[in-house]
Amino acid sequence: MTAAVFFGCTFIAFGPAIALFLFTIAREPLRVIFLIAGAFFWLVSLLLSSLVWFISVQISNKESAAQQKGLLIFGVVLSVLLQETFRFAYYKLLKKANEGLLTLSQEETMPISIRQLAYVSGLGFGFMSGAFSVVNILADSAGPGTVGIHGDSQHYFLSSAFMTMAIILLHMFWGVVFFDACEKQRWWAVGAVVISHLLVSCLTFQNPEYVASLVPTYVILFLMGVWAFYSAGGSLRNLKLCLTCKDKDLLLANHRPR
Amino acid sequence: MSTLPVVFSAFQTRKMDLLSNKWIINLIFCLFFTGISCNSVENKIYVHLNYSIPCVRLLNATHQIGCQSSLSGDVGVLHVLESEANLDWVLQNGPNPPYMVILDSTLFTRSVMMKLKTGSSRVAGVVVVAPSSNPAEGFSPHTTCPNENSGVYSESYDPALAHCNVTKWNPLGNGLSYEEYDFPMFSLKDDNDTQAIKQCYYDHNHVVNGSSPRYPLCAMQLYSHMSAVTDTATCMRRNGINFSLNPETVCDPLGDFNVLASTRPLNYTDKGHKTGESVVIAAARLDSRSFFFDIAPGAESAASGFVTLLAAAHALRNATQDAQPNRTILYAFFQGETFDYIGSSRLVYDMDNKQFPLDLDNVHSVVEIGQVGLHGESKLWVHTDPVSRRNSSVNEEVEKLIRNLNSSALNLSLSLQEPSFSQPLPPSSFQRFLRARPIPGVVIQNHNSSFTNRYYESMYDNAEYLNMSYPPNLTPEEQLEYVTDAAKALTEVATIVARALYTQAGGSDPIQLKNINADSQMVTQMLYGFLVKSNNSWFQQMVPSDFAIHLRDRPTNFYVGVTQQHSEPTLLVQYLLANLTGTTVNITQDNCQNQREDEDDKESKHIYSYMWVQGAAPPNSTERVAFCVRSTVRLSKALSPAFDLEEYTSKDYSTWTESRWKSIKGRIFLVASHELEMLTLGVGVAVLIASLMLTYIISSKADILFSSGREPTAATY
């Protein structure tokens, strides 16, 4: 539409991700490296799934709308499964790399814990996924026109931006839960992550009923956020401590340098 | 550790990778070309205009005319203008300026356009919907006095006759083509796309009972940014500035080539005065224009004249080949006459400056064929210049010429008459000859005083106006051969002109005179080719094969265009004139295309021109039988002398230039309200700030929040 819409949608889509990057990742070079590697792994999974999609579209019958819709569903499911497979592959790679880093480094402790790696890799997946979801939409939002001349809904840009924000945060939560489940060999949790990813992706088939796709997505986001909080070591007691500002006593008691 | 086996195995795997890579790349390439449909966001937002003709900017020594858009296109809310009173909505009352006004052709008048021009801060652009049939009351965007300052009638020649004081030649002219507009103007055809645009207006923008329309509104963006500004001197100066490695040209002079042919060959290396040569010039104009760019059907203003002259030249072929009359006849087809006589001023300049094998002293008289389309009447008018006729010798020659014309019209259904009162010449190329010397001459027109052409230099001056009506259900081939009433009338005119030229050139054999007859079949084929479809079998026979692919399935466009681009009518007239006045010679293709009769011939190329034309296919085969045509047809450059002399503010010569542009396009889309846009920005900024604060808080308390389940000796949090 104009520059106002462009910046508004960019901030909505990437606001939380930028904030997270600025405050938690930007200062630590190791975290930046693993973030970018995670983004790359997501990119490779997208490349493979798009190759399969491309070939299958060329083979298919372009005239039949039902076949194209079926092909789209197949493409989405395949892409989700490939993304999760690459998440698992990245986990395996990081485990190996951590051992290697430990033997190489002169310190006794690991430079980066697997929990931090989970968070960083999830965020990396989220960044790249968000970029591919929304950047071409943002580019067209900078022009003078808005969606609607063929009868589509006017709120296309806004709902795409909100969906992208949800997806980025979801990828981060999924990363945390996934890695934690792999560490503890809880395969049902891994399955739950995959199923919730599939669910969110399939909810987008409700578009252009944006309410029907966005509201359940945000519900799932909240639930996954709570689960990730618990997986990362949070608890209700810690939360209460923080909120009532009793943490200072705890700090003094443990003599931890900040 | 031996490196050799490692290298060897790496080489093998690389070879395999190469093979598999090649296979994958080939597969991808094959699939790529089977076609991919692009379902991008842009298709959801914009609908591009397929057919759009802009109005472009032209500049001369003092002014710029035409339209200009801003560099990134002009966006305006659509408004279909219902009546002239409805202009108040656009100019004052409408709540969502600027507006993009859609006009039907009935509202494309001077008063509406002048009001839009004055209110141009609220007008983003104008779109004119061209009707499918001509408006009955006439429309001419040209001025009332065409080529006012570049003809012969000026204050010094005769102040009483200057500036159309005696006769307004184009009374219906509203001068719209010569105004300057701040906004882009496009023309659309009245088809499904335009209906879709109007439907978008009725769905979203239409106002009922004075309430303001609700967002989102339908809007249009037009791009037609012109690079040149102010006037010709400024833009030619800017052409020469070298800011970077690629200097950017901002404007180009208008011009093309004149087509000339003579009954006796002229040696083009022997320039200047030719002693003993006395030439009768038979002139016609080749070009026309309209308000919009590259649309110039020019049926009556141009085609009627030069088609008649082509037919007359063909009728005179036998008479001038067997027993040549005393004087040579020079057939001249001038380009660029609409824009202050570019072609004729150049020829006169060349003749005056020894750049042409003839001199103005060699010119005996001039016969010019102007607008001669007849709409049922049977009278033609012979216009002469009263000022030069004050000289008795000139007057005598003019009267002889008129007598020749009248005697040529005996036994034919047309009659020629002089206007009853003393009147200056209408706008014609002959005026430029008079500026140099008082030469006897006449201009043949179909009007007594003002033009009868109601659509002078407009997009409606087309085949429909000339009454070229064909019976229904004819194939294109049959239409090509069918002799229309317009063709019959023009054939008569051509016969009269041919006979008069024969007599004027000194021919005295009455049997020859009686045998000079124009061919109506040829006239109707020419009219069809120029005004209906140039890609027809007759034209295909007469052009070389590399030009044949440029023939189009639509009428010829007679706009003169910039010098660098050859315009289609010039080349078509060149090939037609060569075929109609030349002879077939039996020489090889190689010799023909090298302008020589045989290997040793070095002289013929100065006198004759040779063309290898496609020819027709004989009835039993599909291969065309090509042949060589030898004729005296030449192209002479029609670029205004002002550009050679670099006098860009010249008052004597045409200084018209056309601006250059980068892209011309348009698209329609919906626009959202300003409030919604600001709301989106506000929400975005709020989300960003909230997430920044939240993240800061969480990361500062991270120790505490994520402390459970962690070993005490674990990592650095």
Side-chain angles (χ1 to χ4, degrees), chain B residues 336-349:
Chain B
E337 298 301 275
T338 318
F339 291 101
D340 290 341
Y341 306 120
I342 299 177
S344 50
S345 67
R346 182 57 186 240
L347 186 66
V348 170
Y349 174 81

Side-chain angles (χ1 to χ4, degrees), chain B residues 547-579:
Chain B
F547 184 68
I549 47 179
H550 294 299
L551 293 176
R552 298 260 166 271
D553 283 335
R554 53 171 168 72
T556 320
N557 167 29
F558 290 112
Y559 175 60
V560 61
V562 296
T563 319
Q564 291 93 318
Q565 274 182 318
H566 282 242
S567 72
E568 196 190 353
T570 314
L571 294 172
L572 274 176
V573 168
Q574 178 194 14
Y575 298 132
L576 277 182
L577 193 60
N579 277 290

Side-chain angles (χ1 to χ4, degrees), chain B residues 60-62 149-150 232-233 340 345 432 435 640-643 645-656:
Chain B
N60 71 357
T62 48
N149 297 318
S150 49
T232 295
D340 290 341
S345 67
R432 294 298 304 199
R435 260 170 95 121
S640 170
F643 293 99
L645 298 168
E646 294 192 5
E647 289 169 13
Y648 303 125
T649 52
S650 162
K651 289 199 187 6
D652 298 324
Y653 300 111
S654 161
T655 48
W656 285 104

Side-chain angles (χ1 to χ4, degrees), chain B residues 67 94 175 181 205 216 272 277 296 381 404 469 512 537 559 618 653 681:
Chain B
C67 320
Y181 304 99
N205 300 9
E277 182 80 53
W381 299 90
N404 279 339
S469 55
Q512 278 279 14
S537 58
Y559 175 60
Y653 300 111
L681 182 64

Side-chain angles (χ1 to χ4, degrees), chain B residues 363-432:
Chain B
V363 177
H364 173 262
S365 49
V366 175
V367 176
E368 180 168 344
I369 309 180
Q371 303 180 72
V372 289
L374 291 163
H375 305 272
E377 58 272 10
S378 56
K379 221 191 285 206
L380 281 177
W381 299 90
V382 178
H383 294 254
T384 55
D385 170 45
V387 176
S388 61
R389 280 178 85 175
R390 291 177 197 153
N391 179 331
S392 56
S393 57
V394 172
N395 190 29
E396 209 181 296
E397 287 295 331
V398 172
E399 302 220 327
K400 242 202 284 191
L401 181 49
I402 297 179
R403 274 200 299 274
N404 279 339
L405 280 165
N406 275 324
S407 62
S408 309
L410 288 175
N411 302 333
L412 291 171
S413 55
L414 284 175
S415 68
L416 286 132
Q417 212 174 321
E418 274 187 83
S420 50
F421 56 100
S422 166
Q423 191 179 226
L425 283 174
S428 49
S429 317
F430 178 41
Q431 288 195 23
R432 294 298 304 199

